[in-house]
Amino acid sequence: MKKCRISLYGSCFRHFLFISPQEMRGPRSIEIWKMGAVNYLEALKLQEKLTSDRKTHKIKDTLLSLQHPPTFTLGKRRTVHNVLVSEAELKAMGAELHYTERGGDATFHGPRQVILYPIISLRDIGTGARKYVENLESTMIELASLYGVKARAGETGETGVWVGQRKIGAIGVRISSGITSHGLAFNIDPDLNYFKHIVPCGIPDKEVTSLQKEVGLGQKLPSEQVIHEQLVSCFTKIFGYTDVTWRDKTSVSSDGNE
Amino acid sequence: MARSLWATRAASYLRINVPCRGFATVLKDLKYADSHEWVRVEGESATVGITDHAQDHLGEVVYVELPEEGSKVEQGASFGAVESVKATSDVNSPVSGKVVEVNKKLSDSPGLVNSSPYEDGWIIKVELEDDSDLPCLMDPERYTKFCEKEDASR
């Protein structure tokens, strides 16, 4: 009876002070790496190293915030039929093509598009793929709402973030022993013409859009750095991180050394 | 069990997240890994798949990457992957041995992993190696508690 009374008082005390069960367990920590422009393969090698380090608990949850030079990528299913031009033609326009192990279909990454690659342990937060991806969608929806843009998650089979029938944010994730890599790409103001060379995300007849296009071309957006930081803040809020460390990693090489 | 798996499919379709799913099915005659794969051992052979809890947390499976028949699998190591909601998730083997059969139906019907995770949605059959460490796998009661604890840490 005494034990029951103590635990009852404990839970009343916690509720009185509006402390969540998670807060009672301790803060959730993440380290944000602000990386600037990074070549796709360099970023991939870095993610592989960080994923391995996270699996063996050498590092805590880490989030890479960066952008890529013009790069087309395919997912594990190798849906090459959704790349509408040859690799030689892509090279001639100054873009690279990479085959990856992530989920999802064909996509484009380039300047003025924010990329977030969370390397986090889903098991530590009791989350599966579906909930994780929903949270990534919510992250981008929240950012869009800061600019008065009403975005929504895609219907079944159209994972990603949409404004009406136009896609503003894409997701492609890999989960290995419960550790995530790859992540999301949100269009601030990339050159949307690049998307004409693929069937984006394997969904034909749907437009791709950007934050700049949705707020109006005459409207000036804050600097990219500001928008990157806002997107990261949306992420940390939605995922419940309370202990957030920022590191400037613009000089980090693919082996993680500065 | 059919009714609870129907409820699973309905929840997935409606994108309902239920924090502690009372109706995640755990079968009595199987062993379970902490990465949410199940194994049915019958003598020297084993059948492997992913659990009802796993398929619910994945969402609708659209692709299953299968290993080659004849390849080796190692306990705790990845042998394939499933894709759902633009996420590929590695599938780990709960046992060590040689893959003798893969479920080819999953190439055309990957959704069997969701609708029938313990029967038609099996993934590989394995000829066991002597050093397969079966006692380190969880029994149904322990696996149920493991899932409850994991879901409570959200």
Side-chain angles (χ1 to χ4, degrees):
Chain A
M1 273 305 278
K2 194 176 177 185
K3 267 193 188 166
C4 292
R5 269 208 296 275
I6 288 170
S7 71
L8 179 62
Y9 289 151
S11 85
C12 286
F13 179 72
R14 198 188 74 216
H15 282 109
F16 178 71
L17 292 182
F18 303 108
I19 299 171
S20 71
Q22 194 217 306
E23 283 170 300
M24 292 293 281
R25 281 193 293 274
R28 201 175 272 175
S29 297
I30 191 164
E31 191 169 281
I32 317 294
W33 289 23
K34 288 168 61 175
M35 298 194 70
V38 185
N39 171 269
Y40 192 83
L41 275 183
E42 296 267 332
L44 200 55
K45 281 187 216 160
L46 177 61
Q47 287 179 79
E48 281 163 13
K49 180 187 186 309
L50 293 177
T51 300
S52 170
D53 286 349
R54 187 65 186 90
K55 269 184 209 176
T56 52
H57 307 285
K58 285 188 190 142
I59 60 172
K60 57 184 170 184
D61 287 352
T62 305
L63 174 66
L64 309 183
S65 169
L66 52 101
Q67 59 180 298
H68 290 308
T71 311
F72 292 89
T73 66
L74 287 167
K76 192 184 256 295
R77 280 176 286 150
R78 302 288 189 264
T79 46
V80 286
H81 54 275
N82 287 326
V83 179
L84 304 175
V85 295
S86 69
E87 214 167 322
E89 284 169 281
L90 292 179
K91 212 171 168 181
M93 61 179 88
E96 296 178 358
L97 172 66
H98 294 287
Y99 296 83
T100 75
E101 296 299 305
R102 61 161 174 77
D105 211 299
T107 199
F108 169 78
H109 300 306
R112 306 280 288 155
Q113 184 194 71
V114 187
I115 304 262
L116 295 190
Y117 290 147
I119 315 291
I120 70 174
S121 168
L122 294 185
R123 288 182 196 171
D124 283 3
I125 55 174
T127 292
R130 185 160 60 102
K131 181 66 185 162
Y132 174 61
V133 165
E134 283 170 15
N135 283 350
L136 292 181
E137 288 171 331
S138 297
T139 297
M140 291 190 274
I141 291 167
E142 173 97 2
L143 174 71
S145 74
L146 296 179
Y147 293 88
V149 173
K150 203 165 172 205
R152 60 173 179 86
E155 306 291 320
T156 305
E158 295 192 341
T159 298
V161 173
W162 301 77
V163 182
Q165 297 298 311
R166 303 173 298 285
K167 194 163 192 183
I168 195 169
I171 290 173
V173 168
R174 181 175 183 198
I175 302 168
S176 177
S177 297
I179 309 294
T180 64
S181 58
H182 298 272
L184 65 82
F186 183 84
N187 294 335
I188 303 177
D189 185 25
D191 182 351
L192 296 179
N193 287 316
Y194 279 104
F195 286 95
K196 291 179 182 157
H197 303 302
I198 55 173
V199 180
C201 307
I203 306 169
D205 307 324
K206 291 266 169 92
E207 238 183 279
V208 178
T209 188
S210 66
L211 187 65
Q212 182 68 76
K213 212 171 165 188
E214 294 300 323
V215 301
L217 297 176
Q219 190 85 344
K220 192 167 175 359
L221 290 173
S223 71
E224 270 177 61
Q225 181 165 334
V226 166
I227 301 178
H228 273 249
E229 287 173 10
Q230 286 173 332
L231 189 63
V232 170
S233 296
C234 292
F235 176 93
T236 55
K237 178 179 135 190
I238 281 162
F239 280 85
Y241 289 102
T242 50
D243 172 29
V244 181
T245 319
W246 292 76
R247 299 247 185 273
D248 186 341
K249 293 280 196 180
T250 44
S251 56
V252 169
S253 63
S254 62
D255 59 7
N257 296 320
E258 292 180 73
Chain B
M1 184 171 92
R3 194 172 45 198
S4 68
L5 287 176
W6 177 87
T8 300
R9 291 206 302 280
S12 291
Y13 180 74
L14 294 170
R15 296 166 68 107
I16 293 169
N17 285 311
V18 181
C20 297
R21 282 185 64 240
F23 52 82
T25 307
V26 176
L27 296 195
K28 287 195 174 2
D29 61 335
L30 307 180
K31 292 281 219 176
Y32 298 88
D34 64 3
S35 44
H36 301 286
E37 292 87 10
W38 58 263
V39 60
R40 181 182 288 116
V41 177
E42 288 155 320
E44 296 299 310
S45 304
T47 308
V48 173
I50 67 166
T51 65
D52 183 34
H53 180 274
Q55 69 77 22
D56 175 64
H57 281 59
L58 282 173
E60 188 191 336
V61 174
V62 298
Y63 174 70
V64 181
E65 184 187 60
L66 297 165
E68 295 279 332
E69 284 173 4
S71 60
K72 292 264 175 117
V73 292
E74 203 184 297
Q75 188 176 48
S78 163
F79 69 81
V82 293
E83 181 176 341
S84 62
V85 292
K86 304 281 177 85
T88 53
S89 303
D90 284 1
V91 185
N92 297 334
S93 181
V95 292
S96 300
K98 188 171 82 172
V99 177
V100 294
E101 196 182 341
V102 302
N103 187 353
K104 296 187 177 68
K105 281 190 195 163
L106 296 179
S107 300
D108 291 326
S109 305
L112 288 172
V113 170
N114 297 112
S115 59
S116 183
Y118 297 113
E119 288 162 12
D120 298 335
W122 66 272
I123 305 178
I124 58 172
K125 290 193 199 287
V126 174
E127 187 183 278
L128 291 173
E129 261 174 23
D130 289 335
D131 59 357
S132 258
D133 191 3
L134 296 176
C136 77
L137 298 173
M138 288 183 264
D139 64 25
E141 288 76 29
R142 212 172 123 213
Y143 178 65
T144 302
K145 290 197 175 78
F146 174 78
C147 290
E148 286 166 3
K149 196 175 166 194
E150 221 180 49
D151 285 345
S153 65
R154 284 192 186 182

